[in-house]
Each structure stands twice: as C-alpha cells, then as structure tokens.
Amino acid sequence: MSQTITEPAREIDVIHRTDVLVVGSGPGGLAAALAAARTGVAVTLLERFGCFGGNITAVGVEGFAWYRHAETVEAGGIGWEFEERAKAMDAATPESQSLSYELDAEGFKLVADQLIEEAGIHPMLHRMYVAPLREGKRITGVIVESKAGREAILAKRVIDATGDADIARMMGAPTIKTPVEEMQAASVMFHIAGVDKQKFMEGVKADPQTYKDWSTGEWQVETSGKEDDMFSPFLAKPFAQALKDGLIPAHLNTIGGTWGAVHDSGEMTYMNLVHLAGCDGTDPDSMTRFEIEGRKQAMHAINALKYYTPGCGGARLRNFGMTIGIRDTRKLDAQYNMTEADVREQGRFDDSIGIYPEFIDGYGVLILPTTGRYMQIPYRAMLPKQVEGLLVTGRAIGGDRIAHAATRNMACCAVAGQGAGIAAALSVKADCALDSLAISEVQTELKRQGVRIA
Ligand SMILES: Cc1cc2nc3c(=O)[nH]c(=O)nc-3n(C[C@H](O)[C@H](O)[C@H](O)COP(=O)(O)OP(=O)(O)OC[C@H]3O[C@@H](n4cnc5c(N)ncnc54)[C@H](O)[C@@H]3O)c2cc1C
C-alpha cells in the first residue's frame, strides 16, 4: 500500500556560488566542465561518487574509441585529449580491434583529477544532486545531499550531465524514457587477473572472432556488411560450451561479449560479458536486484573462462566496477531530437557543435566508421523545452533509439559536452539566454579549442 508523508520545509545553507555548474562527471560532464573553464568562467563540477570520469572510472568502461580505423574522421577536442593525456600518464593500452587506446579505468581517475586541477575547476565529489532551485522557468542552482546534510549551490547556468536527464525532468522539461522492456541491457563490468597473456593471445589467433559472430543465439546484429569479417575481441564459445556441459545454469544463455585489454601483468580488463535485460537504471530496487544478479553471472563467466579458454586456467576476479553499468534510461525531448536518418545519413546542421564518425552501436545495429563518413551534432539537441538556464549533455541528449546508439558513445558524449560547456560559458559572459546565443560565437570558440565542427 503506498503512503506519503509531507516533509517539513527547512532552511538550508548556500555553500557555494558559481557561473557554470556541471552535474555529473562522465565523458559528457567532464568535457563540459573543462570547456567552460577554458572559455573563462568560474566552473564547478559536482559528482556523487568519489572519482570523476562517470562510466569510464565508476563502471570500468575502457573502450573509448574502439571504432577508430584508418579512414575514420575525428572531431578532435577534449575527447581526443582524454586519450592523449591518458597515454601520456600511462593510463592507456593499445586496443585490439582498432587504432585506438583503451583507457585504464583506475588511471583515468588521475587523468581527470589533473585536467580539472589544471583548468581551475572547483571540484565537488561525494555530493549528490537531489533537486533543482528555480525562479519560474529558470534554474538558479541545485540542492545537494551528502554526509554534510542538505545544502544549496547557486549557479548562473547548470549543465545536466547525469546521464539520465535527472535535472531536466525535475525542472519539468519534457523527457522520454525508454520502456523498460526495450532498454539496452545493463552490465555488471569486471576485471580479472591471473591470465597467461601469451597463451590467451595464441588462442585468439588460432580462432579469431569477427563482428559476424555477434549474431549468435540470442543476439542478431545488423551490420552494413563491411564489418562482418573484421576481427572482434569477442567471447561466446566458452559460455556455449559451459552451458552444454551444465557448468552454467541453462537460463544464463546471455553470457558473452567482449574482452577489453589483456595486460602483461596477467590482468584482463573491461570484461563486457554480463547483459542484464529489464534493469531500469532509474529504479534503485531494480538496480539492487541486477547488481547482485550481475555479480553472480560474472562469477559464472569467470568459471567458464577458466575451463574453456586458453590462458585463463588461473583466472580470478580482480574487481567489479563500483556500480552497475547503465546504458539507456531517459533522454531529453529537446528542441531538436536527432533521428536515425541523421546518424545513418551524415546529418548536417547549421548549429553544429562538433562532428562524430559514423559509429552506431546499439539496439541491434553495429556500423563502424571504416570510411570517412561522419555526422554533425546540433546544439539544439541539448536545449530543453520550457526551461531556462539549463543544458543537457552526454548520453541523454535528444534523439530517437538509433540516434542514441550513436550519440551515447563516450567520444560523442565528449563532443556534446564540449559544446555545452562553451555555450553555457558564453551565455554567462554575454548575459544572454541559452536559446538566444549566437551559434557562430560558440563555433568560433569550439574551433579555438581544437574542435572540428564541419
Ligand atoms: C557496460 C557499458 C559498456 C559500454 N561500452 C562502451 C564502449 O565500449 N564505448 C563507448 O563509447 N561507450 C560505451 N558505453 C556507453 C558509455 O559508457 C555511456 O553512454 C557514456 O559514458 C555516457 O556518458 P555521460 O557523460 O552522459 O554519463 P556517465 O558516464 O553515465 O556519467 C554520469 C555521471 O553523473 C553522475 N551522476 C548521476 N546522477 C548524479 C547526481 N544525482 N548527483 C551527482 N552526480 C550524479 C554519475 O555518478 C556519473 O559519474 C558503455 C556503457 C555501459 C554501461
């Protein structure tokens, strides 16, 4: 039986004031904060966990640019810088299927700290955004909760980089939530240790897997055809064998996916093998159930690897991501919602804030940017309806399902983030509303910051 109580009103301290407040520090929020600070305003980056980096660091998603091939056209900018800085700080390893580097989930915590410090951003970890502050339609700051209790932060502009459009929704902007049964699966990510790298790689070479192999059993993946015979660091056979031999319970026929990096030290990281359909990343009860279920499934996966994968006989769990990985929840119903045609047919926009190569990965589609094709990202996809002073960036920008399969990718979140950060900063400097900004000025600053927009 549902019951409600009325929470008494109370006075809370204003603990901080800033020009631009970015809430959430994944590739979208981190890029937004850096870009805004480099545009010359006071910036605060708020994050509920103890590290910046979002899915990269908190979940262990290390494949930042595994789409990259010889002909791939890149946006440059802060996404590119993430990889370069990670390489320079020994926090990246060459990626097996592409011309890119895997970010090191732990090392990237230090990369983010350093970038934030250099840009003069005010860092705020361990505080959770819980509610917006408003004057009419305008957001004026946020309420946070932490060990210090409930506190207020005032800001001239707010960027919602929570991944779930939490702030936009609470401000009353229209958002669209994918029905739970259609959401992309969540994953409990894990890293293992004790792998004999040489033997493992010999096994991979003896039986190389391709993207065509993704279409087995439960999954059917549409490609453009050119992907089919390309190498993929894919693992399915050990789990099929384990099912057959009764080592994995019969209902766990969804275990399988990709391995990330295998290190000389015997660690194998970014194990993307557990796929949890039906997990609602906006419902803590659902997330609780699937965190626990995901950990069980990960241990079944490791057991199967030990038995059936060369070099993995001595494998053991090293760590789980510190939180379940959520791919798909709520998106902004933005002033412009990107479409499947935009991402499949090289969408072009006058208000482009950056480009992203033709990389679609999700909802049963995999298209890799092995040609020079690319799309532009429109500023309006980050502009909410009915709310002022707020931009939404990262994976929650406006778009349909297949558009999201492209824009959710981390390097694309960084493109959107950089555009949002610059726009927010310029609107503070010009004392102008976010929807009346001269886009040419945003584009000029983007170019100054090394972003390709056309
Ligand atoms: C398992 C998995 C594998 C993936 N694999 C790949 C891949 O190989 N390549 C790729 O490009 N993409 C991949 N993705 C997608 C990609 O990781 C995400 O789409 C991307 O990280 C989204 O970036 P973001 O900045 O929007 O949000 P996130 O990275 O989700 O960051 C959001 C941040 O906001 C913080 N936050 C949320 N709510 C609050 C609050 N109330 N108060 C304070 N802070 C808050 C969170 O703690 C988090 O740090 C994967 C995703 C998952 C889950």
Side-chain angles (χ1 to χ4, degrees):
M1 195 176 68
S2 86
Q3 191 192 354
T4 61
I5 54 159
T6 302
E7 189 184 6
R10 51 184 153 155
E11 291 215 335
I12 60 173
D13 291 333
V14 174
I15 53 157
H16 184 67
R17 288 165 204 267
T18 188
D19 289 334
V20 175
L21 173 68
V22 182
V23 182
S25 68
L30 185 56
L34 291 166
R38 292 172 186 176
T39 310
V41 297
V43 178
T44 298
L45 182 57
L46 179 80
E47 168 58 50
R48 64 180 159 162
F49 293 138
C51 59
F52 298 107
N55 276 1
I56 301 168
T57 53
V59 176
V61 180
E62 301 185 326
F64 191 76
W66 61 268
Y67 57 79
R68 186 179 301 135
H69 292 273
E71 302 297 318
T72 305
V73 173
E74 291 281 349
I78 289 174
W80 187 264
E81 201 180 325
F82 285 164
E83 244 179 305
E84 291 303 310
R85 186 59 78 95
K87 276 154 71 176
M89 289 178 67
D90 202 17
T93 14
E95 207 277 337
S96 68
Q97 68 204 301
S98 66
L99 299 174
S100 78
Y101 280 71
E102 296 251 343
L103 303 179
D104 181 285
E106 296 306 313
F108 197 77
K109 294 176 183 172
L110 296 163
V111 174
D113 288 347
Q114 198 174 99
L115 288 168
I116 288 165
E117 196 174 328
E118 284 169 10
I121 294 166
H122 182 78
M124 286 182 131
L125 294 169
H126 296 297
R127 281 189 170 91
M128 175 136 174
Y129 155 86
V130 292
L133 294 165
R134 62 165 77 227
E135 277 167 18
K137 289 199 306 187
R138 231 174 80 75
I139 186 163
T140 55
V142 301
I143 298 178
V144 294
E145 285 205 345
S146 70
K147 289 283 180 186
R150 205 165 161 92
E151 301 165 320
I153 299 172
L154 301 184
K156 291 179 187 157
R157 304 288 179 273
V158 176
I159 297 178
D160 178 346
T162 59
D164 303 309
D166 283 338
I167 305 178
R169 184 185 67 87
M170 288 191 216
M171 278 297 289
T175 55
I176 299 163
K177 187 170 152 189
T178 311
V180 177
E181 57 286 1
E182 290 172 27
M183 279 176 181
Q184 293 182 66
S187 294
V188 164
M189 304 298 289
F190 59 96
H191 308 294
I192 60 178
V195 175
D196 181 328
K197 179 177 175 180
Q198 198 185 330
K199 281 199 186 131
F200 177 78
M201 289 311 295
E202 280 166 11
V204 169
K205 282 189 192 118
D207 184 17
Q209 303 293 290
T210 65
Y211 295 112
K212 191 167 52 209
D213 294 311
W214 287 24
S215 290
T216 48
E218 283 290 291
W219 295 342
Q220 286 304 310
V221 178
E222 174 204 322
T223 65
S224 68
K226 62 185 168 51
E227 291 79 11
D228 288 354
D229 295 324
M230 292 167 65
F231 169 74
S232 169
F234 186 65
L235 283 167
K237 288 184 180 170
F239 313 112
Q241 191 60 46
L243 275 174
K244 215 163 139 197
D245 295 351
L247 198 74
I248 291 182
H251 70 281
L252 291 186
N253 58 352
T254 53
I255 296 183
T258 50
W259 52 273
V262 52
H263 302 257
D264 294 338
S265 59
E267 291 158 302
M268 196 145 77
T269 58
Y270 182 34
M271 303 299 280
N272 193 356
L273 300 176
V274 171
H275 302 279
L276 303 158
C279 177
D280 180 350
T282 64
D283 173 357
D285 289 328
S286 177
M287 290 166 80
T288 301
R289 184 157 71 87
F290 283 104
E291 281 277 11
I292 294 168
E293 171 61 24
R295 284 196 277 268
K296 278 188 201 149
Q297 292 196 18
M299 297 316 289
H300 282 301
I302 294 172
N303 209 17
L305 290 174
K306 282 166 86 135
Y307 275 85
Y308 304 108
T309 307
C312 291
R316 60 182 169 77
L317 175 70
R318 190 192 80 177
N319 67 290
F320 292 113
M322 57 186 266
T323 184
I324 191 169
I326 300 296
R327 292 183 173 82
D328 183 9
T329 52
R330 223 182 270 122
K331 282 169 273 291
L332 184 68
D333 180 8
Q335 297 206 5
Y336 178 81
N337 292 326
M338 293 187 71
T339 64
E340 177 168 356
D342 292 335
V343 303
R344 284 190 188 262
E345 301 300 336
Q346 306 195 83
R348 293 289 182 271
F349 303 96
D350 288 343
D351 62 338
S352 167
I353 47 93
I355 64 162
Y356 191 62
E358 187 181 63
F359 176 44
I360 307 175
D361 173 29
Y363 296 114
V365 181
L366 175 71
I367 294 177
L368 290 171
T370 50
T371 67
R373 285 166 64 91
Y374 65 88
M375 63 171 173
Q376 294 176 330
I377 313 293
Y379 173 59
R380 283 162 301 149
M382 303 189 287
L383 263 178
K385 295 173 185 158
Q386 298 166 27
V387 173
E388 288 168 15
L390 182 71
L391 287 172
V392 175
T393 201
R395 75 172 161 88
I397 68 172
D400 65 20
R401 280 156 49 99
I402 299 298
H404 180 62
T407 57
R408 77 182 187 96
N409 289 298
M410 296 190 287
C412 193
C413 291
V415 170
Q418 189 157 10
I422 289 174
L426 290 179
S427 91
V428 169
K429 281 176 137 180
D431 194 17
C432 147
L434 284 163
D435 58 2
S436 334
L437 263 185
I439 196 69
S440 58
E441 285 173 26
V442 177
Q443 291 170 333
T444 302
E445 177 61 17
L446 278 159
K447 285 189 227 157
R448 192 192 70 80
Q449 293 193 14
V451 179
R452 176 171 170 172
I453 56 165

